[in-house]
Each structure stands twice: as structure tokens, then as C-alpha cells.
Amino acid sequence: MMRRLTNSIRRRGALALALGFAAASLALAAPVSAQAYQCSLPRTASVPTIARDGPQRQMSVIGYTLAVSWSPEFCRTREGDSGQARQCSGRSGRFGFVLHGLWPDGARGWPQWCSTDARPTGPEIATQLCRSPSARLVARQWAKHGACMTQSPRTYYRVSAILYDGLRWPDFDRLSRKPDLTAGEVRDWFAAANRGWPSGAVGIKLNARGWLEELRLCYDRRFMPARCDRGRFGPEDEAAVKIWRGL
């Protein structure tokens, strides 16, 4: 019981640090609409039922990953997919980098599917839909990852939003036109736009054909940028990268 209470206090302390650090960076950040063109928020949203599809893992948290997906690549073959209509149809706006999720990391693997009875409300999900344009994605991120960080969906979404909104987004459309683009140049492009962010804290995920799918931004326990481990770092700096322009 005492150990559980201590862990809870530590989690609350770390989340408080996150709020303070990321809120301070908002003064320099571009608005969230910079990655969500003509997106408007509904007042509420349906709350999907999320079924656990993997093992429960509880472990000490040593850092975090903010995963942001490049929407033009995701929507490249999904414009007619009714399940991805908000993000990909164009009727709810056009998106650049969208918030995939905030994930806690452990020393060996990551915690997931921690036990909780808490569920997000429709209005809580709605507040995220210009960052993460899928109610199912928003609900799933809480169930799989957020419940291992905090007891409240509201707190999880708030921390995720502050971290995401605190980022500055360089022009990836312009970068995509650069010949012989490399992973190192993508990292440097992002780091140059976010003062104090080391390029080694920018992980990259490419698909099998070398197209950019996601950036995985690495943080320590205090929510300060930290060098990614090998698994999150992705391709080496010399690797070729292609960026699909779909905006």
C-alpha cells in the first residue's frame, strides 16, 4: 500500500513538472492549428469501447515518448476509409503532424494496459480531435498508455496537449523537396525549430519503402528532451528519407 502511494506521489510530481516545463515553452510555440488546417472541435464525441489486445505490463517509468504521425503519409491510401474520415476525407480539415500518443517508457520495454476503471468523457475526447483526429485513437491512448501514468484521463490528455502544443513545426513540405534527404537532416530541421532540443532526441519511423511515418520525441522522467535509445531512434542519420506531400 505504501509503495503504491509513493509511486502515485512520484507520478503526480513528474506530471506537474511536465505541465510547468511545457507551459513555459508555449510562449515560443506555434499554435496547434498550424498542423490542423480548418479543423474545428465538436462539443462532444462518442466514447468508443476499447478492448485490451495485449498483455498488461506494470513497471517503473524512466522516460516518455511523444509520438507524432505524419498525416499525409497515413492518409495516402485512406481517403475513402470511413473509419478514418475525420483525418483523411478533407471534410474536417487537413492535417500535418498529428498526435499519436504520449507513451511512458520502462528500462526494459514499456508499461501498458494498466488496470483502471476510469474512462474519458465525450467532451474530454472532443478537446483532442484537432490534435488526434480519431475518437478511437484518443480513447485507446488513454486505455493502453495513459492509465500507466496517471489516474485521470483528463490529466493525461492535458499533459499530452501541453507537450504537443509546445512544439514548433518547421515547414516539412519545403523539406520534402530537398534532394537526397537524410534522417539526420530531418532531425536537424526539427531541432533547429525547437531551441534547446538535441537532434539525438528525435526518433524517426519510416515505412518499408523509406517514407516518413512518424517522429518519436524522447523525454526523460522530468519531461525534458533526452537522447532516444536505439529502439526509438530509428534509422541512422545517413539513411535516406522520403516525405509524401499530401496537404
Side-chain angles (χ1 to χ4, degrees), residues 178-202:
K178 187 180 185 304
D180 303 317
L181 181 65
T182 67
E185 289 172 318
V186 173
R187 293 184 173 102
D188 291 344
W189 190 253
F190 179 88
N194 291 272
R195 188 174 60 186
W197 199 288
S199 58
V202 182

Side-chain angles (χ1 to χ4, degrees), residues 30-94:
V32 69
S33 59
Q35 294 301 303
Y37 307 93
Q38 300 181 336
C39 177
S40 59
L41 290 174
R43 291 189 176 184
T44 190
S46 61
V47 181
T49 299
I50 303 300
R52 180 164 61 89
D53 62 1
Q56 288 183 317
R57 287 199 297 261
Q58 293 185 318
M59 63 184 70
S60 297
V61 174
I62 64 169
Y64 300 89
T65 301
L66 191 75
V68 289
S69 300
W70 181 236
S71 189
E73 178 61 35
F74 178 82
C75 292
R76 190 173 180 176
T77 59
R78 294 179 172 91
E79 288 191 3
D81 184 344
S82 60
Q84 306 296 339
R86 181 173 180 84
Q87 182 171 351
C88 299
S89 70
R91 296 191 296 272
S92 298
R94 293 288 181 180

Side-chain angles (χ1 to χ4, degrees), residues 1-9 11:
M1 178 70 177
M2 182 58 70
R3 183 179 180 182
R4 204 176 311 149
L5 177 60
T6 301
N7 288 339
S8 176
I9 291 170
R11 285 197 299 270

Side-chain angles (χ1 to χ4, degrees), residues 44-47 119-127 153-154 157:
T44 190
S46 61
V47 181
R119 294 188 68 200
T121 65
E124 286 171 343
I125 286 180
T127 63
R154 181 176 179 272
Y157 294 140

